[in-house]
Amino acid sequence: MVRLATAMQKLGEAIIARNLPPEVATRLTEQLERYTDEVSAHGTLPKIELMGSNRISHFLETGEWPPGPPDGSP
């Protein structure tokens, strides 16, 4: 999952840093929509499993989000 998240992060950074031709942007959008459909077909995690995040725990305890991790960190 870390590899997937890293690839998604790099894709996002690449997209915002480029002036893509409309046909490339359209093709990528269509592919990403298909990937989203594929991922969405799988079950979601129970919310209790998501509560293990230190950032979420901190928010629930204090009502404030802690700073995010530095760019490039796992």
Side-chain angles (χ1 to χ4, degrees):
M1 292 297 273
V2 171
R3 186 174 165 203
L4 173 60
T6 300
M8 292 294 297
Q9 179 183 16
K10 287 180 179 180
L11 176 61
E13 290 171 357
I15 289 170
I16 63 171
R18 308 281 182 311
N19 185 13
L20 295 176
E23 62 275 7
V24 173
T26 298
R27 189 172 63 250
L28 287 173
T29 299
E30 291 168 352
Q31 290 173 346
L32 290 171
E33 288 170 344
R34 284 193 297 275
Y35 293 142
T36 299
D37 292 343
E38 181 179 345
V39 169
S40 296
H42 297 276
T44 58
L45 290 173
K47 288 186 180 181
I48 194 69
E49 287 187 36
L50 299 174
M51 300 304 241
S53 163
N54 290 336
R55 295 188 76 226
I56 293 174
S57 298
H58 179 83
F59 173 76
L60 292 174
E61 292 171 9
T62 67
E64 296 179 7
W65 283 105
D71 284 348
S73 64

